[in-house]
Structures are given as structure tokens and as C-alpha cells.
Amino acid sequence: MPMEYTYFRKYIILKNDYTNINDINPRGHARVEVRDNKGSINLNVENCEKDEHYRVYLLRERNGRVYEQDLCRIFTDERGKSRMNISLNLRELESKGFSINKIDAILIRRGIYVLLGGYIDKDNGIIDRAIKQLLSEEKEEIYSEESEIEELEPIIEEEIEKEIEEEIEEEIEEEIFQEEVMEEDIQEEVMEEDIQEEIMEEDIQEEIMEEDIQE
């Protein structure tokens, strides 16, 4: 888009050719307006998922890599429609590497789920590359998470084995303690029985002595 214009207006058809969400047939359009250093995107979408949210991104390519600028989040109503006017600070966008004349496309998505996309000027394939890059990064993230889990599995198994061994040792120690307690109780009972026998013997001897004296 030419920067020499102090004012221009451009309409963008948002196509569902890139949609990877099942059971919907979304459509929409956007109107980009620029006046001096201010701009806006008037967004209209329909036939989307009901009561859902998506994010709106500007796309540009630099050195063979696709870059996104997150603009905002939009919400659909109970009919799957959404209308929003998005304000643009052109100087701020330029400071982030998104000069208005270098922006290629608009993409609306939620995570890896793409709703609509449209080119500001000509179709240079950036939306397809953006989606491909997005899915590739998602796969790398999943692979990285799986690798971390695989690395952690031996550690987790070792910790579980250690916990089991500690529990077994505690159980054995408890059994030994209980056996020692039982042996002590038995010894005490035996001692008590011995004492009772001695007392009984002494009582019998005393009775015999008393009988002898009486005779």
C-alpha cells in the first residue's frame, strides 16, 4: 500500500479457503482506512462458530520468514457473527516492523484453527506459508514436550522405585518393632508367672510352718 497517500480506503475479501474448522462455512470482509498517521480496520465476519473468540493478525514476510502482528481478539455472538472496528497506530506498527505498506495479509485464527484470511494487495502465498509455519511450530512443540516426557520417564520410574523400597523398608522395620514388642510382652508375662509361682510357694511354705507350730 503506497505511503505517499495521506488518505486511502481498501476493501478486503476474507476467504474461507484456509479454514480448518469443521462444520462451519465462514465468510467476511474488512475495510482498511488510512488517514495521516492513523488507521483503522473495520471487520465483519459471519457463519463462524457461535459464542467463540478468535485473534486478528497482520502478516508480512521478511527474509523468507512469515511474521505476525497480533492486533486484537474478536468475539462472535450466538449467531456466529462479529463486527469490530480496530484502531491502528501506524507509527507504532512501523516501529514493530509492520509498516502499513509492507503488510501483506490479514489472518483470523484461534491457535492452529484458522477461520478466515485475505490479502491486502495481491496473493503472494504468505497465508499458506503462515499456516504451514504455524502447524510446523505446533508439531515441534508437541515433539519437544514428548521428548521431555521421555527424558523424565526414567527419573520418575527411579523415584517411584525408591519410594516403593522406602515403603517396604518401613514396613519391615514396623514388623520387626512389633515382634520385639511382642517378645518383651511375652517375657514380662513369663516373669509375672514366675513371680506368682514364687509367691504361691512362699504362701504354701508359710501355711506348712503354721501347721507345724500348731501341732
Side-chain angles (χ1 to χ4, degrees):
M1 296 188 295
M3 283 292 288
E4 61 266 20
Y5 294 151
T6 57
Y7 175 81
F8 73 87
R9 176 185 294 177
K10 191 171 187 66
Y11 289 92
I12 302 165
I13 301 299
L14 300 174
K15 298 180 179 180
N16 60 14
D17 300 351
Y18 319 99
T19 305
N20 57 6
I21 304 172
N22 295 329
D23 302 325
I24 60 171
N25 185 29
R27 62 182 182 179
H29 65 271
R31 185 182 71 245
V32 180
E33 289 189 77
V34 172
R35 188 188 300 272
D36 298 326
N37 289 321
K38 295 182 180 180
S40 66
I41 298 177
N42 186 273
L43 194 67
N44 287 271
V45 296
E46 58 184 44
N47 297 342
C48 309
E49 295 170 291
K50 298 176 182 178
D51 297 316
E52 262 296 356
H53 69 274
Y54 307 91
R55 300 204 73 88
V56 181
Y57 296 88
L58 298 178
L59 301 182
R60 68 154 300 188
E61 190 169 23
R62 186 169 64 240
N63 299 326
R65 181 173 177 81
V66 179
Y67 292 87
E68 292 182 328
Q69 175 60 41
D70 188 349
L71 287 183
C72 66
R73 183 164 57 171
I74 62 171
F75 297 87
T76 58
D77 58 22
E78 69 279 1
R79 296 173 296 173
K81 293 184 177 183
S82 180
R83 291 185 178 183
M84 190 172 188
N85 192 64
I86 306 167
S87 297
L88 302 177
N89 186 320
L90 303 186
R91 287 181 178 174
E92 183 179 348
L93 285 174
E94 187 173 2
S95 70
K96 294 178 179 179
F98 282 81
S99 299
I100 197 68
N101 63 327
K102 293 182 179 179
I103 296 171
D104 297 298
I106 296 173
L107 186 65
I108 304 173
R109 65 180 177 84
R110 184 180 66 253
I112 62 172
Y113 299 103
V114 178
L115 182 70
L116 292 164
Y119 287 95
I120 294 176
D121 280 324
K122 61 181 180 179
D123 182 346
N124 61 359
I126 191 174
I127 295 178
D128 292 305
R129 290 193 293 277
I131 295 170
K132 185 177 179 180
Q133 181 176 298
L134 182 68
L135 296 175
S136 176
E137 289 172 353
E138 180 73 10
K139 287 180 181 178
E140 286 179 5
E141 186 176 341
I142 292 172
Y143 176 77
S144 177
E145 289 176 356
E146 289 176 349
S147 297
E148 287 178 4
I149 292 171
E150 288 177 359
E151 290 176 0
L152 287 172
E153 278 181 352
I155 298 173
I156 294 171
E157 288 177 359
E158 185 178 341
E159 289 180 352
I160 292 173
E161 288 177 359
K162 187 177 179 181
E163 288 179 2
I164 292 172
E165 287 177 358
E166 288 177 354
E167 288 178 0
I168 292 172
E169 287 179 359
E170 288 178 359
E171 289 178 0
I172 292 172
E173 288 177 357
E174 179 66 23
E175 288 178 0
I176 292 171
F177 175 75
Q178 292 295 334
E179 288 177 357
E180 289 176 350
V181 169
M182 286 180 65
E183 287 180 359
E184 289 178 358
D185 290 343
I186 291 170
Q187 287 178 359
E188 287 180 358
E189 289 178 1
V190 170
M191 288 179 66
E192 286 181 1
E193 288 179 357
D194 291 342
I195 291 170
Q196 289 296 328
E197 287 180 357
E198 289 178 0
I199 292 172
M200 287 180 65
E201 287 180 358
E202 288 178 356
D203 290 343
I204 291 170
Q205 287 178 359
E206 285 179 358
E207 288 180 359
I208 292 170
M209 287 179 65
E210 286 179 357
E211 288 178 357
D212 290 342
I213 291 170
Q214 289 178 357
E215 289 178 354

